[in-house]
Amino acid sequence: MSENPDESSLLELPPPRSASGSCTLELALSRRRSRRDFQPTALEPDQIGQLAWACQGLSDPRGLRTAPSAGALHPLGLMVATPEGLGEYLPDSHTLQVRSRRDLRAELTAACPGQDWPRRAPAIFALSADPQRVLMRYGAQRAARYLHLEAGHAAQNLLLQAIALELWATPLAAFDDAQVSRVLGLPEGHLPLYLIPVGVPLRQPGRP
Ligand SMILES: Cc1cc2nc3c(=O)[nH]c(=O)nc-3n(C[C@H](O)[C@H](O)[C@H](O)COP(=O)(O)O)c2cc1C
């Protein structure tokens, strides 16, 4: 998947905060809003790491994650596109595996017909799924349902964590699947489920 051997490197992320934070859940719920206007400010590695952890990070020594997963099969994948490139989140090591050193945000935006706002987000998270991980256990019909339910759980974690970090995050699903898969370099058979552009708000959360 890498474009050259140098791109297979791992990026360490600062350890996530799992027991502290100044925003209550109630405040995050009441402030969550889909906003599409971001400052050009880049996200810091600790912000990217915290968002990735909230979405798919480990929260239990048995390998369980912050979002529930049917049968603990964990079929979801998480990537993040930033000006520096594309990284795949590896929950076990809380690192980013570099998949590309190109800024792919404009190409992802081009895969969203009629939408120009995602390109202004300093980070675009992408949730995908590997159906093979659940097909054997649950069969085609339930597997398809479970993948989408799991993406919803994971995405909502990310949206609420963004608010707690005083960032905006907006879910986006109106995209061309084949185009998004190509830009992300998803393996054959994997499904792109959600894009979530994230950025520093133009205005403070709770003060529209
Ligand atoms: C499954 C789903 C897909 C969505 N796709 C898009 C999208 O493609 N583009 C967009 O701008 N917003 C998208 N949204 C965000 C909705 O427009 C937004 O949630 C809605 O307007 C309600 O506003 P709120 O999120 O601030 O409550 C999507 C939301 C969901 C749940």
Side-chain angles (χ1 to χ4, degrees), residues 32-34 36 115 117 170-174 194:
R32 186 209 61 78
R33 200 82 287 141
S34 293
R36 300 164 185 86
Q115 310 199 61
W117 62 274
T170 294
L172 186 168
Y194 241 159

Side-chain angles (χ1 to χ4, degrees), residues 55-76:
C55 187
Q56 277 296 284
L58 293 193
S59 55
D60 187 290
R62 289 169 296 174
L64 301 173
R65 300 185 185 177
T66 48
S69 175
L73 295 174
H74 300 123
L76 298 183

Side-chain angles (χ1 to χ4, degrees), residues 100-182:
S100 169
R101 295 201 185 274
R102 288 176 47 228
D103 182 353
L104 297 172
R105 292 172 303 154
E107 286 180 49
L108 284 174
T109 302
C112 306
Q115 310 199 61
D116 195 49
W117 62 274
R119 72 174 69 242
R120 292 191 293 277
I124 303 178
F125 285 83
L127 272 168
S128 61
D130 176 5
Q132 290 304 326
R133 289 182 79 98
V134 281
L135 271 171
M136 292 286 277
R137 172 94 62 102
Y138 295 113
Q141 207 178 3
R142 299 200 78 77
R145 183 189 305 178
Y146 288 178
L147 296 180
H148 292 89
L149 291 169
E150 293 199 20
H153 286 297
Q156 185 74 6
N157 283 4
L158 197 158
L159 301 184
L160 294 175
Q161 177 68 78
I163 293 296
L165 296 173
E166 301 200 351
L167 300 169
W168 289 127
T170 294
L172 186 168
F175 51 72
D176 182 293
D177 290 14
Q179 231 176 311
V180 169
S181 297
R182 185 186 54 71

Side-chain angles (χ1 to χ4, degrees), residues 67-115:
S69 175
L73 295 174
H74 300 123
L76 298 183
L78 179 66
M79 291 183 159
V80 58
T82 66
E84 282 74 43
L86 180 71
E88 178 178 357
Y89 181 61
L90 305 183
D92 289 350
S93 52
H94 188 64
T95 52
L96 285 181
Q97 172 100 55
V98 177
R99 293 297 184 197
S100 169
R101 295 201 185 274
R102 288 176 47 228
D103 182 353
L104 297 172
R105 292 172 303 154
E107 286 180 49
L108 284 174
T109 302
C112 306
Q115 310 199 61

